[in-house]
Amino acid sequence: MTGVLVLTSAVVLALAAAVHGRWTVRALRERAARVAHEVRGPLTAAHLALHGAARRGDVGPVLVAALELELRRAALALEDPSAARPRDVDLHELLTVQLQTWRDVAAANGRTLTLEPGPDTALVHADALRLGQALSNVIANAIEHGDGQIVIRTVRIGDRIRVEVTDDGPGLPASVAELSRRPRAGRGARGRGLAITRTVLAHCGGRISALTTAPGVAIELPLGGRSA
């Protein structure tokens, strides 16, 4: 009889744990849905306000492009990265917008940010918004964890375009893959941005790795302009 009671108690506890876990998952999904709903509204309002200011001439076109890219990048956090839509993208134009976005942030942190585009590297095949998201994460990582001069270079290697982001800091303490897998806690924890970047690039046929020739990282992308 005692054995039956013990077994019955174990089954009841297991069922209770399963029910609790189910409700916990539902609660988390509901919380995520509410966060997504509350974030979309302010992003939409900010986007409309930005374009209203542009029509009035209160904001220059380059700054509008930079701010709009960041607003759209923020909205991407609410979407599935597998929904990427790769197409031919002007990489130099996208990097120029990134430079405009991050230059003041770099200066505020005692860094300088420069762009050195190489020949035959203007066109890549990627999702423009997702690529912007990846580049922003890499640049932000260099500003926060690097030092001195941050340089963005583009190099063509066969049928791939490589975007190198280097700085005068110590470089990554481990490979991108290892940093992406490490547990992270708190603001500024290293690796979260790299993990996001790996994910979004994978859906565009790209990849990210640590540079071996200098402190920094390299993003490799398919060359554009090759479709029939």
Side-chain angles (χ1 to χ4, degrees), residues 17-105:
V19 170
H20 175 73
R22 200 162 158 195
W23 278 106
T24 300
V25 170
R26 286 185 180 179
L28 288 173
R29 286 176 178 171
E30 176 60 23
R31 185 180 300 176
R34 290 184 180 186
V35 169
H37 178 272
E38 291 303 304
V39 169
R40 281 194 182 95
L43 286 174
T44 301
H47 189 266
L48 292 173
L50 175 62
H51 280 272
R55 285 194 299 270
R56 295 190 301 272
D58 297 338
V59 186
V62 177
L63 184 57
V64 168
L67 293 175
E68 182 175 24
L69 179 63
E70 289 306 300
L71 287 172
R72 293 170 71 187
R73 186 173 74 91
L76 284 179
L78 307 175
E79 299 178 8
D80 184 353
S82 65
R85 294 178 291 275
R87 59 181 178 80
D88 284 352
V89 176
D90 188 328
L91 178 62
H92 293 179
E93 181 179 349
L94 185 59
L95 287 173
T96 299
V97 170
Q98 291 287 327
L99 197 71
Q100 175 73 21
T101 302
W102 290 101
R103 182 173 277 160
D104 290 342
V105 179

Side-chain angles (χ1 to χ4, degrees), residues 165-179:
V165 181
T166 62
D167 61 74
D168 296 328
L172 297 181
S175 69
V176 170
E178 182 180 340
L179 288 172

Side-chain angles (χ1 to χ4, degrees), residues 171-192:
L172 297 181
S175 69
V176 170
E178 182 180 340
L179 288 172
S180 300
R181 289 192 300 267
R182 286 181 181 179
R184 297 167 290 277
R187 183 180 180 275
R190 198 161 193 176
R192 185 173 290 108

